[in-house]
Structure formats: C-alpha cells, structure tokens
Amino acid sequence: MNVILGISAAPGIGIGPAFVLPEEKERIIPHHHIPKEDVAKEWKRFDDAVEVVQNEIKTHLAELDQENLQRVIFETYQLMLSDPVFLGEVKDALEQELFNIEHTLEIKVEEYAQRLRNSGNDYLAERSRDIEDVFGKVLNELLDFHPFDIEQVPDGVVIVAHAMKTSDTVILSKRKIAGLALTEGGVSSHVAILAKSFGIPAVVGLEDIAHQVASNDQLIIDGTLGEAIIQPDQQTLDEYHSKIREEQKYIQALQQFRDKPAQTNDGTRFYLYANIGTPEEAQIALEQGADGIGLFRTEFLFMSRAHNNTVSEETQFEAYKQVLQIMGDKPVTIRTLDAGGDKLLSSKDIPQLNEKNPLMGLRAIRLSLFYPQVLRTQLRALYRASVYGNLRIMLPLITDLAQIDTIRGIARGVQMSLREDNIPFREDVPIGIMIETAAAALTADCLAPHSDFFSLGTNDLTQYTLGVDRENPAVAPLYNEFHLAVLRMIKHTINSAREANIPLSVCGEMAGRKESAIILAGMGVRSLSMSPKQIPVIKETLSQFTISELTNISTRPLF
C-alpha cells in the first residue's frame, strides 16, 4: 500500500481500478519556409482542419443536455475557433513570416497561452489550457495525428493522468467515473469545476502519479483530504467503504437543508449566496437553495471571445439578463471585469501589456479606469439588465476612495446616456466594493461611507497580506487564512461595515469551508458566498451551533 499526498480539487471518496491515460505521443511540428504562392494553399488546409474540429464539437454539443455545464466549454471552443481577430493574426503571420501553417499556428497559440499563464489570476491562468486544447485539435488534424480516444475509458474507474485536457472532460458526464488522480491542474481548472459539479472526487498535484500506478491497480481517491492510496490493504478498503456509506447518508441528510433558511440552532438567520462564472450555473445555485448570487465573475464573457476582447454591450446584456431572470427577486451581485492587460485584453481598445509583475499591475478596476470605455460598455449592459431582477454591481481591487468616486461619476454618465436613448434601467442599483488588499481592509472605515456594500475576497486578501503565492508549491504552506494578520483585517472590515450600516459578505474560499465559515459567523459575518454545492453543507454546519457558541469559538484565534 502506498499513500501519495496531493491537493483536494473536488471532495468525496472514490474507489476503483485505475485507468492510466496513455502519455500523449510527442506532436512533432514541422518548421520550414514556404514560397509566397503557397500561402493560399496553407490557409485552405487550416480552414479545412478548423471545420473538422468544429464539426466534432457540434457532435459533442448534440449529445449534451441544455443544462450541462460542459456545453459552456464547447460553446466557448466554437467561439475561439471562429474568432476573426485571432484568425486574422494567424493569417497575417502566415503571409508575413512565410512559415508553414503548423508552425505559425503553434507560435501564435503559445504567445496567447503564455500571457494567460502569467496573468496572476488562477481562473484565467487555467484557461491557457483551453486555448492549447482546442487549437491542439486543429494541429492534430493538420498533421493527421491521432492521439488516444477518451471514449475508451470504461465505467467505474479512477482516471489517472499527468493532466487531463478540457475537451476530454466530456467523459465525466458519459461514464460513471469513480475519481480523478492528476499531477497537473488547479482548483480553478475546468476539470476541477466539472468534477465538483458531477460529484466526482478529484485530487491534483500528485507527483508523477501516472508512473506510480498501473492500469487495474486498486486505487482510493480521497478528494476531501487530498490523498491517493495505491493498492490498499483489505482493512483500509473496508474503512473507506464504510466512509463512503457514511458520506452517502450525509449527502442524503443534506437534502432537508436545501429549501430551508440558513440559521443557527437558536434561530440567528444567515444568507448563503453562490459564486458562479456562467449564466448556466445560476440554475444550479437556485436548485441548491441559494439566497442569491454573491459573485458572478464576468471574465467568462471575455474569455469566450478568446482573442477579441471587445465584448459587445448586447452580448453582456443578454448574459446578465439571463442570470437576473433565473434568480427572480433574489439579489445578484455582478463583479465588473477582473482581468489584466497581460491576460486576455489584446485588442484595438486595450493594447497588449507586458508587465513584470501582473498581480501588482494594471488589473481589475485599475485597468477599467485606464480604459474607461470598457467599463462604460459593461455598466451600460448592467444597467439595462437591472430591470430584470435585483442587481448589485461590485468593483474589484479597490484600494482608494478616489477610485470609487471616479466610477460613480462614470456610472452617472452612463445613466444619463441611457435616459437620452430612452432605455429603461433601475437608478437605485447598489454599487459595492471588494475588500481584498491590506490597503482596503485597513481603511475600510474610510471606504464604507462611500460604498453600498462590502464583499471580502479572502483569497487575494490572504495572498497580498502574507506575500504568498498559493499556486507556488515552494511557499504554498505559508498561505494561511487563519493568520492573525488576516483575521484582524477581516474583523476590522466587519466592524467598519457595521458602523456604516452597510451589508457585508464573504465570497472567498473561506466562506464555503466548514471550519472557516464557523469562524466568520462568530466574527459577525451573516452573509457567505460559495460554490453552489457547498450551500447545503454550510446550512447544516450552522444549524449545529448557537450564535453564542460561534462567537466563543471565533474569539480564540484573534488574540
């Protein structure tokens, strides 16, 4: 028996025979000059390859239900393949550099994927795999290169691999997969998101797992603890089978909490909201008993345009309208674009930036203020959608009062233009801010009177406060949300919101974990926003305590 430690990507326990995905054969890309008269022929080959991949995606889409989250992935891939700006860049490079189309495409894809990897944003860094995946299929078609077919994976197995391509995740909805054991991949990857959605335990960060396990080896995946157990003995198997039975009973018991309000044992009311990244996830949030949407990340809209980030007002309006209509009168908090110039914004409106430290650079609200037309377009779409539900607008990475004042001025200008165009909108849409830096937390008492609400982004707050990159394995153990400095900043923010009489919620990962939700509740937080699947879990957790018990627990780590 061998136990390997990794990182939890999706909770739960899975037991089954291992199915080791074969390592991809090396794709050898030819690299040679072409005569100018061959450009048209090379471009025709590219067009034909794109058409083949588009048809494959259409086939996958036809097999998926409308509500299936994987539809969003494949629809995004369709947009990437037909994006005129990126295709124009590839064609320009082909005509100017006069290299074969395979080499030209490989270079352009890698340029863009590298910008995403250097973004300083977990979600967007993971999207680099999507770019490489979909255009990798085009390269395979150009080269007549046919790697392993994921459809060969049988029911009941634990998939073991160095990494899993996003397009291969279609198998997660087609087979009864017992678990995932991967070396690469993050908690923000599509693989992790879909594993959580389908209830498949997943562990990533398992060093060289594909070489430590053979197909048909018995494997236990503990997605809660982040462990893989290879060839467990009978006693361990019995223990884990017992844990699975207990887990199934627990999941069944959670059903009673879905339609109940979140409250403590003595009746103190809490509000549990959902974090989502696509309109389709709003329906899942509703089914899990969410009181609303606490964070709608709008980056997906810009990612769906891949290389052309001038997302139209109409496209944004339809997406926001859809979420608001799904949620009815429940509040929907939509965050303005949280991206950087090095990430995905490379258009005539926003020139490509090459920053040495993107995490500290021109990102989030700083970028929106530097290129205000992007913000104006987004605000117009948001205000237009506001008549369809209970909208709240949230501003990321605010560090200074002047930023709030400037944005409110831009919002007033947007409202004026809508009136002139005779377009209806709600004038009383609250505008709140994210508290996710030490600067914002320490001056929360100054920012509160100028904000309609606060949302604590504990992921970045912890990272910025401790100076720790949680994605860097060398320093990840230093990432500690319970560090005294982080907790005191959270407490000061809570007190500042209370004194200014404005709502406060927490939308970082702390909100969706039992142990940290207990601490936050005891510190005075009454609104928590999390992954939709965690809502019944946190409802059940809060119901086990009185408010005085939670308060007593939370005071211990603060002093």
Side-chain angles (χ1 to χ4, degrees):
M1 185 171 78
N2 184 18
V3 180
I4 304 177
L5 300 180
I7 300 168
S8 171
I13 296 169
I15 301 175
F19 188 95
V20 181
L21 298 186
E23 291 186 12
E24 283 200 13
K25 298 174 185 176
E26 184 180 359
R27 185 199 291 133
I28 299 174
I29 306 293
H31 176 195
H32 56 81
H33 280 288
I34 60 170
K36 196 168 186 178
E37 56 268 24
D38 282 357
V39 166
K41 183 173 70 175
E42 288 289 281
W43 189 250
K44 176 67 164 55
R45 291 180 57 231
F46 175 72
D47 264 345
D48 291 345
V50 169
E51 184 178 356
V52 169
V53 177
Q54 285 277 30
N55 288 334
E56 289 176 357
I57 291 173
K58 287 176 184 176
T59 300
H60 286 312
L61 284 170
E63 297 171 347
L64 297 174
D65 295 334
Q66 287 297 323
E67 294 78 20
N68 195 310
L69 283 178
Q70 288 172 309
R71 290 193 67 85
V72 179
I73 297 170
F74 286 117
E75 286 166 356
T76 299
Y77 277 18
Q78 285 183 316
L79 290 167
M80 290 177 179
L81 289 169
S82 59
D83 174 36
V85 172
F86 180 64
L87 297 183
E89 290 177 3
V90 175
K91 193 169 188 178
D92 286 346
L94 178 68
E95 292 172 343
Q96 293 169 17
E97 303 296 332
L98 293 178
F99 280 109
N100 58 301
I101 188 60
E102 296 89 347
H103 175 71
T104 302
L105 180 61
E106 181 188 38
I107 293 298
K108 299 307 292 183
V109 169
E110 178 55 29
E111 284 177 4
Y112 189 74
Q114 190 59 46
R115 292 203 300 272
L116 290 174
R117 282 192 288 269
N118 294 338
S119 67
N121 178 296
D122 299 343
Y123 180 84
L124 295 174
E126 288 292 346
R127 301 294 77 79
S128 66
R129 300 178 187 274
D130 301 342
I131 303 294
E132 294 170 329
D133 185 13
V134 69
F135 283 103
K137 290 182 176 298
V138 176
L139 280 169
N140 290 343
E141 193 62 34
L142 284 166
L143 296 166
D144 196 23
F145 179 79
H146 302 290
F148 171 76
D149 184 1
I150 196 67
E151 296 287 344
Q152 296 178 31
V153 174
D155 281 337
V157 299
V158 174
I159 294 177
V160 178
H162 180 74
M164 195 170 181
K165 292 184 294 186
T166 303
S167 58
D168 285 346
T169 59
V170 69
I171 203 68
L172 301 183
S173 62
K174 289 185 172 183
R175 304 281 191 275
K176 294 178 180 177
I177 303 299
L180 301 177
L182 308 173
T183 296
E184 290 191 356
V187 294
S188 301
S189 66
H190 274 315
V191 174
I193 292 168
L194 290 169
K196 290 174 186 174
S197 174
F198 294 127
I200 299 172
V203 179
V204 298
L206 295 164
E207 187 174 354
D208 204 27
I209 185 67
H211 291 144
Q212 298 195 56
V213 180
S215 286
N216 295 317
D217 279 355
Q218 193 72 2
L219 194 60
I220 296 174
I221 292 299
D222 190 330
T224 304
L225 294 180
E227 294 180 348
I229 304 175
I230 305 169
Q231 297 288 53
D233 55 37
Q234 191 58 50
Q235 181 180 348
T236 303
L237 272 174
D238 291 342
E239 288 175 359
Y240 271 91
H241 277 299
S242 177
K243 287 182 180 180
I244 288 175
R245 288 191 292 271
E246 291 173 8
E247 188 177 80
Q248 289 171 342
K249 289 179 183 177
Y250 175 63
I251 292 171
Q252 188 62 37
L254 286 178
Q255 302 303 312
Q256 64 178 303
F257 291 95
R258 287 189 175 181
D259 298 322
K260 291 182 178 179
Q263 59 185 27
T264 57
N265 198 20
D266 56 349
T268 300
R269 180 75 161 94
F270 284 77
Y271 295 89
L272 304 189
Y273 302 103
N275 297 339
I276 65 171
T278 67
E280 290 76 12
E281 289 177 85
Q283 187 60 46
I284 296 174
L286 207 58
E287 293 166 359
Q288 294 295 327
D291 291 310
I293 303 299
L295 169 62
F296 178 21
R297 305 177 184 93
T298 57
E299 290 78 55
F300 93 97
L301 285 168
F302 296 82
M303 278 305 303
S304 69
R305 291 299 179 269
H307 305 272
N308 177 12
N309 299 289
T310 308
V311 183
S312 72
E313 178 185 323
E314 197 63 30
T315 298
Q316 295 188 60
F317 163 69
E318 289 295 338
Y320 306 149
K321 172 185 171 182
Q322 183 179 347
V323 175
L324 287 161
Q325 288 180 321
I326 289 172
M327 299 309 295
D329 60 354
K330 296 185 176 185
V332 174
T333 303
I334 300 181
R335 183 177 68 187
T336 58
L337 179 63
D338 186 6
D342 64 309
K343 296 175 185 176
L344 58 137
L345 304 177
S346 178
S347 71
K348 62 180 182 180
D349 293 333
I350 302 178
Q352 177 186 334
L353 301 176
N354 185 19
E355 298 180 295
K356 291 184 178 179
N357 192 348
L359 195 62
M360 302 288 184
L362 196 61
R363 57 170 292 220
I365 208 64
R366 300 170 183 173
L367 186 85
S368 295
L369 290 174
F370 202 79
Y371 299 104
Q373 186 52 46
V374 174
L375 179 61
R376 288 192 188 98
T377 299
Q378 186 164 33
L379 288 175
R380 273 185 64 95
L382 285 166
Y383 277 114
R384 284 177 58 196
S386 66
V387 297
Y388 293 95
N390 186 3
L391 173 66
R392 304 195 305 177
I393 297 173
M394 184 161 67
L395 311 174
L397 205 68
I398 291 291
T399 55
D400 187 82
L401 180 57
Q403 293 171 323
I404 302 175
D405 290 341
T406 301
I407 292 160
R408 286 192 178 278
I410 293 172
R412 286 192 293 272
V414 167
Q415 291 177 336
M416 187 180 299
S417 71
L418 290 171
R419 286 191 203 96
E420 291 172 353
D421 294 337
N422 292 317
I423 296 175
F425 66 94
R426 276 183 49 202
E427 300 200 23
D428 60 345
V429 175
I431 297 178
I433 68 171
M434 291 195 73
I435 304 294
E436 49 189 337
T437 66
L442 291 172
T443 61
D445 54 326
C446 302
L447 298 173
H450 302 268
S451 307
D452 293 323
F453 63 89
F454 278 168
S455 184
L456 268 160
T458 55
N459 300 350
D460 274 350
L461 181 62
T462 303
Q463 188 165 243
Y464 280 124
T465 301
L466 302 182
V468 172
D469 178 3
R470 61 181 179 151
E471 295 298 310
N472 182 339
V475 297
L478 298 174
Y479 182 89
N480 177 17
E481 293 163 330
F482 294 112
H483 191 287
L484 184 59
V486 177
L487 291 177
R488 286 187 173 177
M489 287 189 187
I490 291 173
K491 185 62 177 174
H492 177 64
T493 304
I494 294 169
N495 291 341
S496 298
R498 184 183 295 119
E499 290 168 9
N501 197 29
I502 63 171
L504 174 141
S505 65
V506 176
C507 66
E509 289 181 10
M510 285 184 78
R513 289 199 298 266
K514 291 183 181 182
E515 64 276 13
S516 47
I518 288 170
I519 296 295
L520 291 168
M523 294 171 72
V525 175
R526 296 293 178 265
S527 296
L528 301 163
S529 192
M530 63 204 69
S531 168
K533 293 281 187 181
Q534 284 301 105
I535 290 172
V537 175
I538 301 303
K539 283 185 179 180
E540 188 265 348
T541 300
L542 293 171
S543 73
Q544 298 176 13
F545 299 89
T546 65
I547 197 65
S548 60
E549 288 171 338
L550 291 171
T551 302
N552 289 337
I553 292 170
S554 71
T555 55
R556 295 172 191 167
L558 283 173
F559 302 103

